[in-house]
Amino acid sequence: MSKIILESINDFDLEQTFECGQCFRWEKESDGSYTGVANNKVINISSAGSNIIIENSSIEDFDGFWHDYFDLGTDYAQIKAKLVAQDEIIKDAIDKGYGIRILRQDIWETICSFIISANNNIPRIKGCIEKLCNLFGASLGTYKGKEYFGFPKPEVIANLTIDDLASVRVGYRARYLIDSAKMFVNKGEAFFRMLASDNVSYEEAFKEITALSGVGPKVANCILLFALQKRKAFPIDVWMKKVMHELYGFDEDDIIGMQDFAEEKFAESAGIAQQYLFYYVKTHLHIN
DNA sequence: AGCCAGGCCCAAC
DNA sequence: GTTGGGCATGGC
């Protein structure tokens, strides 16, 4: 395992990317770097100026996985330029979260993570996912003295009972995880991966994903955005309701109005706009 | 004690 | 097709 240095990486801020609510397995270290697990691999990532440093990886892994995971093939400057032109509100949000990138996360892990996210808060979601991995994931060995685990395979979750999941503390969501795991195994991973194709529309993918247990419109939109590259997806949770109410004047329960507004205004980049707004309300807009 | 958190399910209309 | 009560858990 070697250290990789990527030079002149633009529009990529680690803290903004990892703390904007899209992922739950990246932990900030005391030196400001982040250590995380994806694709059954553990890496540590840090930045120095416009350089990105990846430790505990290899060129092969970077080219074969991490480059796409961090969405480094996408020109965020171009996306931001279009959004900024819309209004002062989104411009301000982008000023605060200029370095957010939408990670291309694993479909199964994202399904489970956002089933757990329903009616829950981010610290608890992270705790539940960590327990789930530690108990039912494969050991990936130790890195800097700590043992890491991969995300549990769908076949493993599909064969668990509600009692097996009790110590994960996901509450009533345990049933959804098991039921969705069975559906995922039945349809096959290839089917769900295929939904990321440009040939599959947002609407089509939405229909398939909401068929899963414990997956309603909000959770589905998160899955579509964070794992299936459907950038039209505009997830609206309680925080988005707050920001849409405070900044754009919507009635807090007017979900339809917010969705239509996002589609018309932010178009094919609605999901990315949503992440700038979500990060903005969580870190810079102290309402509540 | 009661409210809240990246909401969903399901029964009752 | 829409609406609303119920829901595990833990921090505040």
Side-chain angles (χ1 to χ4, degrees):
Chain A
M1 291 298 180
S2 57
K3 175 193 285 191
I4 294 167
I5 299 178
L6 313 171
E7 297 183 330
S8 304
I9 302 295
N10 297 317
D11 311 302
F12 189 17
D13 182 89
L14 299 178
E15 180 164 18
Q16 293 167 11
T17 296
F18 293 135
E19 314 274 1
C20 72
Q22 62 175 324
C23 55
F24 305 101
R25 297 201 71 194
W26 289 93
E27 284 301 320
K28 192 175 196 173
E29 306 288 356
S30 53
D31 63 0
S33 69
Y34 282 82
T35 303
V37 183
N39 196 35
N40 285 325
K41 296 181 190 308
V42 184
I43 63 165
N44 175 270
I45 184 166
S46 56
S47 61
S50 65
N51 289 358
I52 295 288
I53 302 101
I54 297 179
E55 290 190 17
N56 202 39
S57 190
S58 63
I59 296 292
E60 291 73 25
D61 276 351
F62 175 75
D63 290 340
F65 180 73
W66 297 109
H67 177 273
D68 283 346
Y69 178 81
F70 290 117
D71 202 20
L72 293 175
T74 297
D75 183 357
Y76 279 75
Q78 189 175 9
I79 293 168
K80 289 191 287 185
K82 275 187 163 181
L83 292 174
V84 161
Q86 292 302 314
D87 63 51
E88 290 298 311
I89 296 167
I90 188 68
K91 177 178 184 301
D92 197 20
I94 290 175
D95 281 345
K96 302 294 194 295
Y98 59 89
I100 291 174
R101 282 176 175 270
I102 309 291
L103 303 174
R104 299 187 174 214
Q105 300 185 70
D106 176 74
I107 180 61
W108 169 240
E109 176 173 345
T110 306
I111 288 169
C112 287
S113 297
F114 282 91
I115 285 173
I116 293 171
S117 81
N119 200 24
N120 212 335
N121 60 63
I122 291 179
R124 273 203 78 242
I125 297 163
K126 293 174 79 169
C128 290
I129 292 171
E130 185 175 3
K131 286 193 275 286
L132 188 67
C133 294
N134 290 350
L135 280 169
F136 303 110
S139 176
L140 304 177
T142 61
Y143 175 66
K144 290 185 177 174
K146 186 182 172 190
E147 185 175 13
Y148 287 86
F149 295 86
F151 198 86
K153 293 177 174 300
E155 294 82 3
V156 172
I157 306 290
N159 287 311
L160 296 178
T161 64
I162 302 230
D163 283 348
D164 292 333
L165 282 169
S167 54
V168 181
R169 313 305 286 162
V170 288
Y172 59 86
R173 307 169 192 87
R175 174 168 69 87
Y176 305 150
L177 288 177
I178 295 166
D179 289 348
S180 282
K182 288 175 178 168
M183 297 167 77
F184 190 91
V185 171
N186 283 339
K187 283 216 166 189
E189 180 167 347
F191 171 79
F192 288 96
R193 286 192 182 282
M194 173 270 296
L195 298 178
S197 162
D198 287 339
N199 297 326
V200 179
S201 69
Y202 163 81
E203 290 78 10
E204 204 173 332
F206 183 90
K207 188 181 165 197
E208 295 293 346
I209 293 296
T210 48
L212 293 165
S213 177
V215 180
K218 188 273 169 183
V219 168
N221 276 322
C222 286
I223 296 167
L224 294 191
L225 180 57
F226 302 140
L228 297 177
Q229 287 82 56
K230 304 301 183 199
R231 297 202 181 111
K232 286 173 63 180
F234 191 80
I236 300 175
D237 69 333
V238 296
W239 295 102
M240 284 304 294
K241 287 179 189 173
K242 287 177 189 174
V243 74
M244 294 301 284
H245 172 67
E246 291 289 327
L247 301 183
Y248 285 107
F250 282 92
D251 195 272
E252 283 217 34
D253 57 13
D254 184 14
I255 306 282
I256 304 291
M258 297 176 192
Q259 295 281 4
D260 291 347
F261 173 85
E263 181 172 0
E264 191 175 328
K265 186 140 187 151
F266 305 131
E268 75 282 357
S269 298
I272 301 176
Q274 188 273 353
Q275 278 311 100
Y276 293 128
L277 291 169
F278 183 83
Y279 180 78
Y280 184 62
V281 66
K282 294 283 277 186
T283 60
H284 293 277
L285 195 63
H286 298 289
I287 53 183
N288 206 355

